[in-house]
Amino acid sequence: MDKRNIQLDDDGQLRHFLTIEGLKRQMLVDILDAAESFTSVTEQTVKKVPLLRGKTIVNLFFESSTRTRTTFELAAKRLSADVLNINVNASATTKGETLLDTQRNLEAMQCDMFVVRHAVSGAAHFIARHAAPHVSVINAGDGRHAHPTQAMLDMFTIRRHKGDFYKLRVAIVGDILHSRVARSQIHALSTLGVEEIRVIGPKTLIPLEAHTLGVHVHHDLRSGLRDIDVIITLRLQHERMTGALLPSEHEYFQLYGLTEARLDLAKPDAIIMHPGPINRGVEIDSAVADGPRSVILNQVAHGTAVRMAIMAKAMQRLPSLPARELH
Amino acid sequence: MAAALRALLAGQGITDPLMVGIYTGGVWVAQRLHRLLGLENPLGTLDISFYRDDFTRVGMNPTVKPSLLPVNIEDRHVILVDDVLNTGRTIRAALNELFDYGRPASILLAALVDRGGRELPIQADVVGTRIDLAAGEHIKLHGPQPLRLSRVSGAR
């Protein structure tokens, strides 16, 4: 990344949202506060506000993701923007057009924002670096690098249930090594000042340099869950089973699956989160996933409001002319 | 203002209006009027930040408060209250937001101060006071306790 944070404009306002890294605590708090306001929009008869009326937002998904794309689309529509969903599998990129050419063409159509999902780390950053001045880029997940909007909706969910971040102990359980969600969550939790972040998983799924992120590493679920306020379980990709990183799903569940018995080690009011979609009986027992301490569906519900907040903040421009007062 | 509003409501045969204040000063004024008129319906509040017509120039208000309309506004008589009526754009935004909650039977507008300078064809039904300001002068309501108006020079 450039020394200058390309996510911010010359006045320090959010222009692109590519990663949590480099964003100050107040920026994250502002996003959470704005998301809080946007939750009220869903309570209106007309569930939308005219904030981004006349703007065109492109969902540029090079990797399939129904849930994330849907919440971005819903968020954009609730802000009154026009939304284009580009089916990349059927697009010109499969005919040989470069990513940059695709971007240039969409910009020529006067699109204002790209929401980018890509299997390659850094793809959203690449598009942002080449974006026209009037265009904002939101990272909807790139390779193993970052998934910052997911991390922010997780932070929103934690704040809703726990209030202040400072005294919290948070555990992230599972495949930390391949998880862009975990990376973004760790950066967000650190920036928001939680007391302790633990990562829990087998040695094969925790990066060697994990300690450089300021987290405590546990390979034993029981010791890792002790006195924890928030447990975030990660989705286990099936390909990790065939990649010799894990012996079997069954064994993983035996060692790292979240069961009601193991929850007893955490604080009695601990909440359980999961970015979804969940593998029942692999990362988490059904009784826990559907139990009273699970806030997994709350996370989904918060996704739209948080993405509305991020889109609105990225699209806002400081005035080039003196502001006209509203009275 | 309370007396004028009471007379207006009586003249129009409105018995159970819903009063809605616009953040921030409008809510302070509405709280006072709501008490003086002894209205039964709880007070509603409106933050029009998401409805501003200059969002892409001035950005988002960092402290947006959720709007709260405690009862269904469908077919209800609404009294909209703001502190200073100037260009009319705040009221335009508030009307748009209200209609996203439903279709009221009618809307009356009450403003503590009308300082002129309208850019839209919007007028108040009840006005506390009219003030002529010099160029570059603005008016500001301080509150909530006590409510106090002051003239401010220069940019706001």
Side-chain angles (χ1 to χ4, degrees):
Chain A
M1 184 179 281
D2 298 341
K3 273 190 175 175
R4 190 175 62 89
N5 189 340
I6 71 160
Q7 299 189 96
L8 306 178
D9 65 17
D10 292 341
D11 296 296
Q13 298 296 315
L14 194 71
R15 181 187 165 195
H16 306 297
F17 195 64
L18 308 173
T19 172
I20 304 288
E21 279 178 276
L23 297 182
K24 290 191 160 48
R25 180 178 183 277
Q26 190 56 50
M27 178 70 76
L28 303 191
V29 171
D30 285 349
I31 289 170
L32 297 179
D33 289 346
E36 198 69 56
S37 307
F38 280 117
T39 56
S40 68
V41 172
T42 57
E43 292 158 13
Q44 296 175 192
T45 306
V46 179
K47 294 179 182 55
K48 61 200 297 180
V49 291
L51 216 56
L52 298 189
R53 194 160 59 91
K55 300 291 184 186
T56 305
I57 294 175
V58 182
N59 275 330
L60 202 52
F61 274 54
F62 295 89
E63 191 182 65
S64 61
S65 163
T66 307
R67 186 185 330 219
T68 303
R69 191 191 57 72
T70 304
T71 51
F72 267 110
E73 182 174 351
L74 196 57
K77 286 180 172 172
R78 289 204 167 146
L79 291 167
S80 302
D82 297 313
V83 185
L84 293 178
N85 288 309
I86 305 289
N87 182 0
V88 178
N89 289 334
S91 81
T93 50
T94 58
K95 300 174 189 168
E97 186 177 78
T98 66
L99 182 58
L100 211 49
D101 284 335
T102 303
Q103 181 178 356
R104 292 275 179 267
N105 278 286
L106 289 166
E107 286 177 352
M109 295 174 205
Q110 303 303 315
C111 295
D112 300 286
M113 173 178 277
F114 296 125
V115 177
V116 181
R117 161 67 69 95
H118 204 290
V120 175
S121 299
H125 189 271
F126 174 86
I127 291 174
R129 262 195 297 127
H130 294 90
H134 69 282
V135 170
S136 289
V137 179
I138 307 287
N139 184 4
D142 62 329
R144 296 182 189 181
H145 173 233
H147 197 350
T149 63
Q150 174 70 44
M152 288 307 294
L153 77 87
D154 294 336
M155 298 307 111
F156 186 80
T157 306
I158 291 172
R159 193 173 78 164
R160 272 266 173 121
H161 287 88
K162 294 289 175 187
D164 205 347
F165 286 95
Y166 289 114
K167 291 184 177 172
L168 294 182
R169 290 196 177 96
V170 182
I172 305 173
V173 186
D175 182 1
I176 312 294
L177 181 66
H178 301 93
S179 176
R180 56 193 173 206
V181 174
R183 279 180 54 83
S184 290
Q185 286 168 339
I186 290 168
H187 285 300
L189 289 165
S190 300
T191 306
L192 290 166
V194 298
E195 184 172 312
E196 186 182 342
I197 306 168
R198 297 179 198 166
V199 294
I200 308 170
K203 286 181 180 174
T204 50
L205 295 182
I206 293 190
L208 289 172
E209 70 279 11
H211 64 279
T212 62
L213 295 170
V215 301
H216 298 264
V217 177
H218 290 257
H219 299 301
D220 176 58
L221 186 65
R222 290 180 177 277
S223 70
L225 289 184
R226 193 157 289 127
D227 297 327
I228 280 291
D229 298 284
V230 177
I231 307 166
I232 303 174
T233 49
L234 298 174
R235 177 177 170 74
L236 196 70
Q237 306 287 340
H238 290 293
E239 57 266 32
R240 308 297 172 227
M241 301 302 159
T242 55
L245 292 171
L246 286 171
S248 70
E249 288 185 350
H250 177 72
E251 189 165 330
Y252 179 85
F253 184 70
Q254 292 301 313
L255 292 171
Y256 295 101
L258 202 59
T259 61
E260 286 192 319
R262 286 169 174 165
L263 273 182
D264 288 343
L265 294 160
K267 286 189 180 168
D269 61 348
I271 56 170
I272 294 110
M273 299 168 63
H274 191 298
I278 59 177
N279 290 314
R280 289 172 184 268
V282 180
E283 305 108 22
I284 191 165
D285 194 48
S286 272
V288 176
D290 302 329
R293 289 194 271 181
S294 169
V295 295
I296 295 170
L297 287 179
N298 299 57
Q299 289 172 265
V300 179
H302 297 153
T304 306
V306 170
R307 287 176 173 125
M308 286 171 78
I310 292 165
M311 285 174 156
K313 287 193 83 66
M315 294 283 266
Q316 74 179 7
R317 290 286 183 272
L318 289 173
S320 53
L321 298 168
R324 178 188 291 154
E325 287 290 335
L326 279 171
H327 268 307
Chain B
M1 283 180 78
L5 263 176
R6 194 176 284 118
L8 194 60
L9 293 169
Q12 296 188 8
I14 298 170
T15 53
D16 62 340
L18 170 65
M19 182 170 279
V20 178
I22 301 173
Y23 276 116
T24 302
V27 172
W28 297 337
V29 177
Q31 285 167 338
R32 184 77 64 88
L33 287 172
H34 189 267
R35 195 167 59 245
L36 289 170
L37 291 172
L39 299 180
E40 287 184 12
N41 288 309
L43 180 67
T45 55
L46 218 52
D47 188 323
I48 55 89
S49 296
F50 296 148
Y51 291 77
R52 293 178 68 118
D53 61 13
D54 55 358
F55 161 74
T56 52
R57 293 194 300 156
V58 302
M60 211 158 75
N61 179 356
T63 55
V64 180
K65 301 170 186 69
S67 295
L68 180 66
L69 294 178
V71 294
N72 191 344
I73 71 163
E74 193 73 26
D75 286 331
R76 194 171 292 273
H77 296 282
V78 174
I79 306 168
L80 190 59
V81 182
D82 204 2
D83 53 352
V84 181
L85 179 58
N86 181 195
T87 63
R89 288 172 190 269
T90 296
I91 305 303
R92 194 276 312 169
L95 293 174
N96 283 2
E97 180 164 4
L98 279 176
F99 275 83
D100 279 357
Y101 282 89
R103 184 180 182 276
S106 71
I107 301 177
L108 294 170
L109 176 60
L112 182 64
V113 180
D114 184 347
R115 58 151 292 182
R118 218 73 82 241
E119 295 174 1
L120 299 175
I122 286 172
Q123 301 299 334
D125 298 287
V126 172
V127 170
T129 182
R130 294 176 204 276
I131 298 178
D132 292 321
L133 298 173
E137 262 193 329
H138 308 288
I139 197 112
K140 183 171 174 58
L141 181 67
H142 305 267
Q145 288 291 346
L147 284 179
R148 183 173 61 83
L149 279 170
S150 69
R151 289 188 184 216
V152 183
S153 295
R156 282 178 288 191

Short mmCIF file of all heavy atoms in Angstrom, two decimals, chain A residues 56 96 108 122 202-203 227 251 258 264 297 317:
data_model
loop_
_atom_site.label_atom_id
_atom_site.label_comp_id
_atom_site.label_asym_id
_atom_site.label_seq_id
_atom_site.Cartn_x
_atom_site.Cartn_y
_atom_site.Cartn_z
N THR A 56 -24.99 5.69 -9.29
CA THR A 56 -25.01 4.32 -9.82
C THR A 56 -23.91 3.50 -9.15
O THR A 56 -22.74 3.90 -9.16
CB THR A 56 -24.80 4.33 -11.34
OG1 THR A 56 -25.79 5.18 -11.93
CG2 THR A 56 -24.92 2.93 -11.91
N GLY A 96 -11.24 -11.99 -22.49
CA GLY A 96 -9.88 -11.48 -22.61
C GLY A 96 -9.71 -10.04 -22.19
O GLY A 96 -8.59 -9.54 -22.13
N ALA A 108 -16.86 4.96 -17.79
CA ALA A 108 -17.35 5.75 -18.91
C ALA A 108 -18.88 5.80 -18.93
O ALA A 108 -19.48 6.69 -19.52
CB ALA A 108 -16.82 5.16 -20.23
N GLY A 122 -5.76 -7.94 -2.86
CA GLY A 122 -5.29 -6.69 -3.43
C GLY A 122 -6.07 -6.21 -4.65
O GLY A 122 -5.81 -5.12 -5.17
N PRO A 202 -6.11 -25.11 15.22
CA PRO A 202 -4.96 -25.99 15.08
C PRO A 202 -3.76 -25.24 14.50
O PRO A 202 -3.93 -24.23 13.81
CB PRO A 202 -5.45 -27.07 14.11
CG PRO A 202 -6.63 -26.47 13.42
CD PRO A 202 -7.23 -25.47 14.34
N LYS A 203 -2.55 -25.76 14.79
CA LYS A 203 -1.35 -25.07 14.34
C LYS A 203 -1.33 -24.87 12.83
O LYS A 203 -0.79 -23.89 12.33
CB LYS A 203 -0.11 -25.86 14.78
CG LYS A 203 0.17 -25.73 16.25
CD LYS A 203 1.40 -26.48 16.66
CE LYS A 203 1.63 -26.29 18.16
NZ LYS A 203 2.72 -27.11 18.67
N ASP A 227 -13.28 -17.25 30.29
CA ASP A 227 -13.60 -15.84 30.61
C ASP A 227 -13.78 -14.96 29.37
O ASP A 227 -13.53 -13.75 29.42
CB ASP A 227 -12.52 -15.23 31.50
CG ASP A 227 -12.44 -15.92 32.84
OD1 ASP A 227 -13.50 -16.37 33.32
OD2 ASP A 227 -11.34 -16.04 33.39
N GLU A 251 -13.02 -34.87 13.25
CA GLU A 251 -11.98 -34.62 14.25
C GLU A 251 -11.90 -33.13 14.60
O GLU A 251 -11.66 -32.75 15.74
CB GLU A 251 -10.63 -35.12 13.75
CG GLU A 251 -9.58 -35.08 14.84
CD GLU A 251 -8.34 -35.90 14.49
OE1 GLU A 251 -8.49 -36.89 13.75
OE2 GLU A 251 -7.25 -35.53 14.93
N LEU A 258 -17.83 -25.81 18.56
CA LEU A 258 -18.42 -25.09 19.70
C LEU A 258 -19.68 -25.82 20.15
O LEU A 258 -20.67 -25.88 19.42
CB LEU A 258 -18.73 -23.66 19.28
CG LEU A 258 -18.86 -22.64 20.40
CD1 LEU A 258 -17.57 -22.56 21.22
CD2 LEU A 258 -19.19 -21.27 19.83
N ASP A 264 -19.52 -23.33 28.63
CA ASP A 264 -19.50 -23.08 30.08
C ASP A 264 -18.21 -22.40 30.52
O ASP A 264 -18.16 -21.77 31.58
CB ASP A 264 -19.66 -24.40 30.85
CG ASP A 264 -21.07 -24.92 30.74
OD1 ASP A 264 -21.95 -24.11 30.36
OD2 ASP A 264 -21.29 -26.10 30.99
N LEU A 297 -27.97 -14.45 13.49
CA LEU A 297 -28.96 -13.81 12.60
C LEU A 297 -28.98 -12.29 12.80
O LEU A 297 -29.31 -11.56 11.87
CB LEU A 297 -30.34 -14.42 12.84
CG LEU A 297 -30.51 -15.85 12.29
CD1 LEU A 297 -31.90 -16.39 12.60
CD2 LEU A 297 -30.26 -15.90 10.79
N ARG A 317 -18.98 13.95 -0.17
CA ARG A 317 -17.90 14.81 -0.62
C ARG A 317 -17.89 16.08 0.21
O ARG A 317 -18.94 16.65 0.50
CB ARG A 317 -18.08 15.19 -2.09
CG ARG A 317 -17.88 14.04 -3.03
CD ARG A 317 -16.40 13.70 -3.13
NE ARG A 317 -16.19 12.63 -4.09
CZ ARG A 317 -16.24 11.34 -3.76
NH1 ARG A 317 -16.50 10.98 -2.53
NH2 ARG A 317 -16.04 10.42 -4.67
#
